[in-house]
Amino acid sequence: MRGQERMQSVAEARALRMLRALASPARFRIVEILAERKDGTSPQLMDELGLAQSSLHDHLTALREAGLIQASGDGPNRYYCLDPTALEYLGAYLSGIGQRARSWTGAVRATRTEGEMGIREATSADAAAIARIYNHGIEDRVATLETEPRTPEERAAWLAARGPRHPVLVATDAAGAIVGWGALNPFNPRPVYDHVVDFSLYVARDQRGRGIGDALLGALETRARALGYHKMVLAAFPTNAPGMRLYERHGFTTVGIYHEQGMIDGQWVDVIIMERLLG
Ligand SMILES: CC(C)(COP(=O)(O)OP(=O)(O)OC[C@H]1O[C@@H](n2cnc3c(N)ncnc32)[C@H](O)[C@@H]1OP(=O)(O)O)[C@@H](O)C(=O)NCCC(=O)NCCS
């Protein structure tokens, strides 16, 4: 295992050396020029790139040290050419990462399909399940500055008070049991903010990490667009790793952090504000 890890880190270091060398417009252009022909000399490359000799020399050295080009001959007869195996190696390395990402996405989708997860509009009959899942989030102290547990009656009243622009969606498993919920909430009652919507997202404690939050957030975004919203916003704890990852993957960016904004169980907590323009 240690040997395998060492092999991986050597492979990673090689790929990183090449990527660093390529991350310069001039060096990238040298690689493209050399890919078009068998080889090239310094004067030819200086002509084509409009670079001073010392600058070209530095770029060629960086590319050679990264293993991307080779040199042969001396003086004016010194020729540079690409090492095609290096670029093939880098291409295969990046493609491997892409394949791993694809297989993971496929696994998440398979879990959803196998489980026949569904998403539908919440009804008053869902109030107890919504309260139960909300209370998981409140008790775990990872999600909200709310500290008082909710009751089915309180959630039923909350559902009944919502207008058509502030729907609540529930995610259900194959048996129809509710495993998560999401809501589009009013951001600010002033009409100038009509295009902005806040949201809540909660997945049952034993169902987290299976793609339910991802699916619910996708459904909330679709619904927000259909309702004519221009922007979604949220407030969260920056320490909420699954939440942060989910929001960033959905294109939310950080507006700012309220430092020591709340106090829970005698501890200050920061609150991060994020937004996403729906376009
Ligand atoms: C935040 C929450 C809604 C996410 O829902 P989920 O169904 O667990 O999330 P998903 O399975 O869709 O995963 C979303 C991302 O988080 C990542 N993730 C899941 N669990 C994680 C963990 N423990 N640590 C780090 N990342 C994690 C997943 O890998 C995924 O990212 P990826 O697709 O790029 O790999 C859910 O964890 C939850 O209900 N938490 C408690 C309540 C809460 O925090 N609500 C949000 C308040 S702002």
Side-chain angles (χ1 to χ4, degrees):
M1 186 62 194
R2 282 188 64 82
Q4 209 177 2
E5 278 168 8
R6 183 161 167 66
M7 288 291 290
Q8 279 172 352
S9 76
V10 168
E12 203 176 289
R14 186 178 173 197
L16 278 172
R17 264 199 312 278
M18 292 189 212
L19 288 168
R20 273 194 215 101
L22 287 170
S24 135
R27 292 198 287 272
F28 201 78
R29 186 76 197 113
I30 292 171
V31 167
E32 287 188 308
I33 289 172
L34 292 177
E36 296 303 315
R37 61 178 74 154
K38 189 163 114 327
D39 51 27
T41 61
S42 287
Q44 285 167 345
L45 291 168
M46 274 162 56
D47 263 356
E48 287 191 50
L49 292 158
L51 287 175
Q53 189 172 7
S54 60
S55 165
L56 177 68
H57 177 265
D58 290 347
H59 287 312
L60 290 171
T61 303
L63 289 168
R64 276 186 66 201
E65 285 175 358
L68 285 159
I69 64 170
Q70 295 166 339
S72 57
D74 285 307
N77 293 324
R78 191 161 175 78
Y79 288 93
Y80 297 91
C81 65
L82 278 186
D83 179 353
T85 60
L87 288 169
E88 278 157 19
Y89 173 88
L90 185 59
Y93 190 87
L94 294 177
S95 159
I97 294 176
Q99 270 164 16
R100 290 206 290 285
R102 265 196 298 283
S103 65
W104 165 240
T105 309
V108 170
R109 283 208 194 98
T111 310
R112 279 186 209 148
T113 317
E114 278 162 28
E116 289 168 25
M117 190 188 79
I119 294 182
R120 62 168 172 77
E121 195 97 17
T123 71
S124 56
D126 302 325
I130 290 173
R132 179 177 52 81
I133 294 169
Y134 192 17
N135 288 336
H136 289 170
I138 294 172
E139 288 157 14
D140 292 347
R141 301 293 199 250
V142 292
T144 172
L145 287 170
E146 294 288 355
T147 49
E148 289 302 308
R150 295 305 203 267
T151 62
E153 295 71 31
E154 184 275 338
R155 284 293 93 178
W158 174 77
L159 278 169
R162 301 184 77 88
R165 293 198 82 218
H166 300 111
V168 180
L169 304 179
V170 289
T172 54
D173 67 11
I178 293 173
V179 289
W181 63 270
L184 294 180
N185 307 315
F187 170 70
N188 187 307
R190 290 182 183 155
V192 290
Y193 294 113
D194 275 355
H195 58 285
V196 184
V197 72
D198 170 81
F199 71 94
S200 308
L201 189 59
Y202 288 84
V203 173
R205 198 182 278 136
D206 61 348
Q207 300 288 330
R208 292 176 195 158
R210 298 182 179 186
I212 296 166
D214 180 39
L216 267 171
L217 182 53
L220 287 177
E221 286 162 356
T222 304
R223 187 59 73 93
R225 270 202 195 86
L227 287 165
Y229 288 110
H230 181 60
K231 181 195 277 196
M232 290 174 79
V233 296
L234 70 96
F237 296 159
T239 46
N240 183 348
M244 289 301 103
R245 179 150 172 119
L246 180 63
Y247 304 140
E248 279 166 12
R249 207 156 61 70
H250 278 251
F252 284 83
T253 53
T254 301
V255 176
I257 295 181
Y258 289 123
H259 295 282
E260 301 183 359
Q261 177 80 342
M263 184 170 281
I264 294 191
D265 304 331
Q267 300 284 326
W268 287 117
V269 286
D270 294 348
V271 172
I272 187 167
I273 306 298
M274 301 182 88
E275 66 175 5
R276 182 184 166 193
L277 291 173
L278 294 170

